[in-house]
Amino acid sequence: MGLAANTYGTVARVEARIGDLVDGRVFATGTIPTLAQVEALLDDTAAQLNAVLKRYGYTVPVVTGNDPEAFAWLQAANSAGAAALALNTVPGESLDPETPDPILIRRQGLWAEFNAVLKAIQTNQLPATRSVTTLVSKAYAGAAYDADGNATEPVFTRKDGDYPGTGRG
């Protein structure tokens, strides 16, 4: 299948994190999850990262030549997110219900890493190139919209005929 052009993570990085699930620490057509499934999960989590990046005004995709630090962070997050989702493919019937679920604990750690990067994007903490078009459109909108894009009421309003200091108000 192969990875999409806008995917940051790699199968090798996912194997480094959760390769112990399969023989030889290598995903293939006969493993659970399969190589194609891991590649699809990488593409899915990269698409989520790119959608949030685009929503917050970053240039998509982030490339290593322009923004090496941001690219490395996105690469780690993309791999962590895909690894967390890949853990969902592991059958859990053999786990002892009396002990903590090691898969769940592992998945939560990987997912927390993925979400930390999403939060950094949303709080403008990712050191990556911004899209000029998006920044200009946000500047024109100003405070007329909240963080979710909903229209807000203006803080100051003036009624027709309200002109202080002119004697007409």
Side-chain angles (χ1 to χ4, degrees), residues 72-97:
W73 205 5
L74 289 166
Q75 190 176 47
N78 190 186
S79 300
L85 293 175
L87 286 173
N88 288 335
T89 65
V90 176
E93 291 83 17
S94 63
L95 296 175
D96 181 1

Side-chain angles (χ1 to χ4, degrees), residues 3-132:
L3 295 174
N6 293 344
T7 298
Y8 305 102
T10 64
V11 173
R13 286 177 171 271
V14 175
E15 288 170 343
R17 290 170 176 265
I18 62 166
D20 58 306
L21 299 177
V22 296
D23 288 335
R25 298 189 66 89
V26 176
F27 296 110
T29 56
T31 61
I32 297 174
T34 66
L35 175 62
Q37 289 171 330
V38 171
E39 289 173 341
L41 294 172
L42 280 162
D43 290 344
D44 292 347
T45 53
Q48 185 177 357
L49 287 167
N50 285 330
V52 175
L53 283 165
K54 190 172 186 178
R55 164 69 175 88
Y56 285 90
Y58 290 94
T59 302
V60 174
V62 173
V63 294
T64 189
N66 294 346
D67 304 301
E69 297 86 2
F71 183 85
W73 205 5
L74 289 166
Q75 190 176 47
N78 190 186
S79 300
L85 293 175
L87 286 173
N88 288 335
T89 65
V90 176
E93 291 83 17
S94 63
L95 296 175
D96 181 1
E98 300 299 319
T99 61
D101 183 351
I103 297 294
L104 178 63
I105 293 168
R106 200 168 172 189
R107 185 182 315 122
Q108 287 172 339
L110 291 165
W111 205 245
E113 184 179 337
F114 179 77
N115 283 323
V117 173
L118 286 179
K119 184 175 181 179
I121 294 167
Q122 294 166 342
T123 57
N124 300 316
Q125 301 299 313
L126 188 75
T129 304
R130 295 291 190 126
S131 167
V132 174

